[in-house]
Amino acid sequence: MRLLILGTGGMANQHAANFKAIEGVNVVGGVDVVPERLAAFCTEHGIANHFTTLEDALAWGEFDAVANVTPDRIHHPTTLQAIAAGKHVFCEKPLATDAVKAMEMTEAIERSGKVGMVNFTYRNSPALQKGRQMVLAGEIGEIRHVEASHLQSWLVGRHWGDWKSESKWLWRLSKKHGSNGALGDIGIHIVDFASYGSGLDVAHVFARLKTFDKAPGHKIGEYDLDANDSFTMNVDFFGGAIGTIQATRTAAGQMDQLRLRVYGETGSIEIIYDTGKSTLRACLGEDVHTATWRDVPFDPVETNYQRFVQAVRAGRTQEPSFRRAANIQKVLDKALASDLSHADEALG
């Protein structure tokens, strides 16, 4: 498979490294509007062909698939261009900045017959995959309650750099730069994590979003710091369970932790992904009477990168698909609407 990487910022390095490690995959080109960044990226990863516009790359055309690692607001137009040119697409999350655009992309890829998948990176957690298997197998009975959180701390700690002086962080805090804040950035991960791990889809959302004061006049240079930093959701799931989903960038002491607890009629599971390390615990059977939790072993799982390559070779999309990402985006759109209306918002 010949792959073009579109957008050569920080996350593109993960794409290049992961795809190059897969036998039979050749990263043949890179695209970026910043020539210096493009040249450095292509030199680092040994990529022969560089383009400063997607149009130039498509005119060349010597590739089978595109890894779209552009900023969020650029996903929609560039992905549609790639689909129109007959290319498979592996898109970074979120698929688009709203569900209407995401569904347009979904319908386009499905009409084309090409593979379209989205990089929900935490699907790579073996604990999540094993926990979902347990839930779907009925090991905890009918689900009644779900708790989920995604906690980061880069607004209070400098472990990932100084957000006040680095554009790669500042744009994530600015609506005019295409950010939907914590909701759009990590909210899409934890909603997918909770829904996928529990095997349930969200039916209703009641949400609150919060933007904190972070600089004089809520502004640093060209960046208006007006995107949300934290959110909470109360949700109903189809099937009758209820739950809470929350995320923040202000959780000192937590670099990158996702936690999911699924409570069922006869038992519970807890899945934790914490900065690269996965754990799974369960309270099952007679242990429910003593509130005893036990570690559950799990095997390694294939990554999204590997699944995308397999999907292209087979000519059949695997999960997480564009349609899945569009449906998760609908939940985020309803959360934004709920914050404005101060009312419960239903998903169709």
Side-chain angles (χ1 to χ4, degrees):
M1 190 185 85
R2 300 168 302 170
L3 182 73
L4 180 84
I5 295 183
L6 174 62
T8 61
M11 190 62 189
N13 292 295
Q14 293 293 321
H15 284 250
N18 278 279
F19 278 119
K20 288 183 69 176
I22 301 172
E23 185 176 356
V25 176
N26 295 311
V27 181
V28 297
V31 184
D32 202 299
V33 296
V34 181
E36 297 81 10
R37 182 169 62 201
L38 172 65
F41 175 81
C42 290
T43 297
E44 179 179 353
H45 296 286
I47 300 169
N49 301 285
H50 338 153
F51 306 91
T52 54
T53 70
L54 177 57
E55 289 79 8
D56 287 345
L58 293 173
W60 172 61
E62 298 297 317
F63 56 95
D64 309 298
V66 176
N68 192 337
V69 203
T70 58
D72 298 356
R73 70 185 187 279
I74 310 300
H75 292 174
H76 173 260
T78 53
T79 294
L80 290 178
Q81 284 180 268
I83 295 170
K87 307 301 182 183
H88 306 284
V89 181
F90 184 69
C91 190
E92 261 304 321
K93 61 79 200 169
L95 184 57
T97 52
D98 62 66
V100 172
K101 290 186 177 72
M103 193 54 68
E104 182 184 357
M105 297 159 72
T106 298
E107 291 171 352
I109 198 78
E110 290 177 352
R111 284 194 305 268
S112 75
K114 296 297 181 180
V115 169
M117 293 173 59
V118 178
N119 192 25
F120 286 124
T121 54
Y122 301 101
R123 292 283 190 98
N124 300 334
S125 165
L128 176 65
Q129 299 293 344
K130 177 64 175 181
R132 172 181 164 86
Q133 290 175 12
M134 294 173 66
V135 170
L136 295 182
E139 293 188 36
I140 65 171
E142 182 179 340
I143 298 170
R144 293 176 170 171
H145 194 94
V146 175
E147 300 176 24
S149 61
H150 192 163
L151 308 177
Q152 295 183 340
S153 58
W154 55 268
L155 283 179
V156 293
R158 291 190 292 275
H159 40 270
W160 289 345
D162 182 3
W163 68 265
K164 295 180 181 179
S165 61
E166 297 183 29
S167 61
K168 68 179 181 179
W169 301 115
L170 284 166
W171 82 264
R172 297 175 186 272
L173 308 175
S174 174
K175 291 180 181 178
K176 75 178 182 183
H177 286 81
S179 177
N180 281 333
L183 181 71
D185 187 20
I186 58 178
I188 196 162
H189 280 308
I190 194 58
V191 172
D192 178 69
F193 201 84
S195 176
Y196 183 76
S198 66
L200 300 173
D201 291 321
V202 174
H204 296 87
V205 177
F206 185 85
R208 285 291 174 271
L209 281 63
K210 183 69 175 182
T211 305
F212 300 106
D213 295 342
K214 297 181 289 297
H218 310 287
K219 188 178 181 71
I220 294 178
E222 65 180 284
Y223 300 93
D224 297 320
L225 309 183
D226 54 356
N228 62 85
D229 303 310
S230 295
F231 74 83
T232 61
M233 293 184 200
N234 292 329
V235 301
D236 297 322
F237 294 96
F238 289 105
I242 63 171
T244 59
I245 302 174
Q246 61 176 331
T248 185
R249 295 161 165 168
T250 65
Q254 303 291 351
M255 277 196 188
D256 189 36
Q257 185 199 77
L258 290 82
R259 190 181 78 171
L260 172 64
R261 284 180 171 172
V262 185
Y263 299 100
E265 183 182 8
T266 60
S268 304
I269 64 166
E270 179 187 65
I271 302 162
I272 297 177
Y273 173 95
D274 195 345
T275 320
K277 181 181 178 181
S278 292
T279 58
L280 174 63
R281 299 192 308 156
C283 181
L284 305 170
E286 292 301 308
D287 284 341
V288 303
H289 304 297
T290 57
T292 300
W293 291 78
R294 301 184 190 275
D295 291 336
V296 177
F298 44 77
D299 297 321
V301 296
E302 293 175 328
T303 66
N304 290 335
Y305 305 99
Q306 292 168 316
R307 285 193 291 272
F308 177 70
V309 173
Q310 291 172 2
V312 169
R313 288 171 176 165
R316 185 173 62 253
T317 293
Q318 294 189 30
E319 293 295 335
S321 65
F322 275 28
R323 185 162 291 275
R324 170 65 178 182
N327 287 334
I328 295 296
Q329 190 63 48
K330 289 178 182 178
V331 178
L332 304 189
D333 287 6
K334 292 297 185 181
L336 287 167
S338 174
D339 184 60
L340 293 173
S341 68
H342 288 201
D344 179 88
E345 295 284 341
L347 285 95

